[in-house]
Amino acid sequence: MRNALIIERPELQSMTQRYGWKSVTFFFWMFYIYLWVPLITLVVWLVGVKLFHINMIEFNGYETLVDKLGLYSAIILIISIILIGWAEVNRMRFKNKLRRLDNNELSVGEVAKKYNLEVSHLTLLRQKKSVKVDFSDKGAISEISEY
């Protein structure tokens, strides 16, 4: 076996090479399985058609379906009435009403006071396109930088 065509010495491979080739192998196995999906789907579909035929035609399952159709329709109707009724109640309740009552715009001074900043510093920050604000564990602003 002096002239073997395949040289296999995994101990000489680095971790990157080993995991790289394992990843490539995994990828191609997944691709191979993916190629079988249409055939598997066809077989499962045919089994489902056969089971449907056995249960509905040979065992007269359609009779049970016809018997329960009225009950199913009534349940669907009741659920529809409840959901549509609830939507209409909410529409009438909140129609033309401003739900956010306290939507006054704050001044720069009020915001600066809340976060312990100088008004001039906050005014400069508001002119920036984007800033990064870091907060401490207690919720206070710890650092502000351009983003």
Side-chain angles (χ1 to χ4, degrees):
M1 291 265 151
R2 200 176 80 175
N3 293 329
L5 295 176
I6 298 175
I7 301 171
E8 190 165 332
R9 300 280 309 263
E11 67 274 3
L12 297 178
Q13 290 181 332
S14 68
M15 291 287 274
T16 306
Q17 288 174 327
R18 276 190 290 225
Y19 285 120
W21 283 112
K22 285 181 182 181
S23 299
V24 169
T25 303
F26 177 76
F27 171 77
F28 279 104
W29 273 110
M30 291 299 106
F31 181 69
Y32 181 71
I33 291 170
Y34 173 76
L35 291 176
W36 280 95
V37 168
L39 182 64
I40 294 168
T41 304
L42 176 65
V43 170
V44 171
W45 183 79
L46 290 173
V47 168
V49 169
K50 182 69 176 167
L51 286 174
F52 177 81
H53 182 270
I54 290 170
N55 287 314
M56 295 305 280
I57 307 300
E58 292 180 14
F59 293 146
N60 297 326
Y62 62 88
E63 292 174 354
T64 306
L65 176 65
V66 171
D67 290 343
K68 300 286 184 196
L69 203 54
L71 177 65
Y72 293 159
S73 300
I75 290 171
I76 290 171
L77 183 66
I78 290 169
I79 291 172
S80 299
I81 289 171
I82 290 171
L83 291 175
I84 291 170
W86 180 255
E88 286 298 316
V89 165
N90 281 325
R91 187 174 68 84
M92 296 306 258
R93 194 169 146 206
F94 296 111
K95 183 179 179 182
N96 298 327
K97 289 187 180 177
L98 182 61
R99 292 171 54 188
R100 293 177 182 93
L101 299 177
D102 191 23
N103 59 356
N104 299 333
E105 194 170 315
L106 295 175
S107 68
V108 177
E110 291 172 318
V111 175
K113 182 180 176 186
K114 169 73 177 167
Y115 291 106
N116 297 325
L117 296 172
E118 295 178 22
V119 176
S120 60
H121 187 62
L122 183 60
T123 305
L124 287 173
L125 287 173
R126 290 181 68 182
Q127 294 172 356
K128 303 288 182 186
K129 185 175 181 181
S130 121
V131 293
K132 179 181 172 188
V133 180
D134 293 320
F135 292 91
S136 68
D137 293 336
K138 296 181 180 178
I141 294 176
S142 61
E143 183 183 353
I144 300 174
S145 59
E146 286 192 51
Y147 186 64

